[in-house]
Amino acid sequence: MSVLLFQGCANVVRFEKPSLVAHAEKLDGSDDVLYYSIGIDFTETVAPDIAKVRLKFTPETASYALYELTPAVASRYLERYQPPPQWPEAWKQRAAKDDAYEGKGIYMKFAAGRLERLGLCSHCAGGRAAPIVGTADGGAFYALPLTERQMVELFGAPLKRMKVREVYY
């Protein structure tokens, strides 16, 4: 996943736990902030409560615990990642070597068959998507954007929660 800086984002809330960062804003007339972007770095140690969160690629598909995700699963539901045409050629060549998939507000990057990075986004790149995440027991599923209560139910309480002016994806 690339790192992009969007400046001038006002009233963005950043929710942090080890290996997880999420961003929220008041969206679509909501009175409360809604979490529209979640990034998980599996190159770090991921807490079991996060690794057991479930992902659905569509409302009709089976769910998978995040630790169960593989390139074979991802390729059934998502397209190979294609870097944006405006990227420099060197970046495109590097991205072409990645085992990465995207679509439906989901980005996954694997190394040696193991998930390295997961990005979920409902309001990114000028589009709308609704990635679906669920509790470890599969008892509840929610489409992004998520409320604060849903974030805590799924991922646990944040270690840090703060307002920021710049958002890094």
Side-chain angles (χ1 to χ4, degrees):
M1 190 173 339
S2 335
V3 176
L4 301 174
L5 170 62
F6 291 90
Q7 294 185 349
C9 297
N11 299 316
V12 174
V13 173
R14 184 176 168 102
F15 178 112
E16 289 185 22
K17 292 187 71 147
S19 74
L20 183 144
V21 174
H23 295 98
E25 293 182 59
K26 289 185 177 184
L27 300 169
D28 304 327
S30 170
D31 290 335
D32 298 315
V33 296
L34 297 173
Y35 289 89
Y36 62 90
S37 170
I38 301 169
I40 304 172
D41 182 351
F42 285 85
T43 63
E44 300 178 16
T45 301
V46 176
D49 59 332
I50 293 173
K52 291 178 183 176
V53 166
R54 303 196 69 80
L55 175 70
K56 281 186 162 200
F57 292 91
T58 69
E60 302 80 30
T61 60
S63 66
Y64 299 87
L66 300 184
Y67 72 85
E68 297 173 321
L69 295 170
T70 64
V73 170
S75 66
R76 272 188 254 157
Y77 303 102
L78 306 174
E79 300 292 324
R80 291 282 302 193
Y81 175 71
Q82 297 296 317
Q86 68 270 23
W87 275 18
E89 199 56 41
W91 291 9
K92 289 182 197 176
Q93 289 174 4
R94 202 170 32 226
K97 295 176 186 173
D98 289 342
D99 189 8
Y101 303 85
E102 73 171 339
K104 304 174 184 134
I106 302 167
Y107 172 86
M108 294 179 184
K109 181 180 175 204
F110 297 88
R114 195 171 157 266
L115 186 61
E116 270 194 346
R117 304 228 189 279
L118 174 67
L120 304 171
C121 193
S122 63
H123 288 66
C124 294
R128 297 290 183 264
I132 301 167
V133 288
T135 55
D137 66 3
F141 285 89
Y142 307 107
L144 269 67
L146 303 175
T147 65
E148 182 89 16
R149 182 193 61 76
Q150 291 167 335
M151 282 293 294
V152 171
E153 180 182 352
L154 292 165
F155 302 106
L159 292 183
K160 288 185 190 177
R161 185 184 182 279
M162 66 197 109
K163 287 200 174 194
V164 295
R165 292 186 181 262
E166 299 175 333
V167 178
Y168 296 90
Y169 295 101

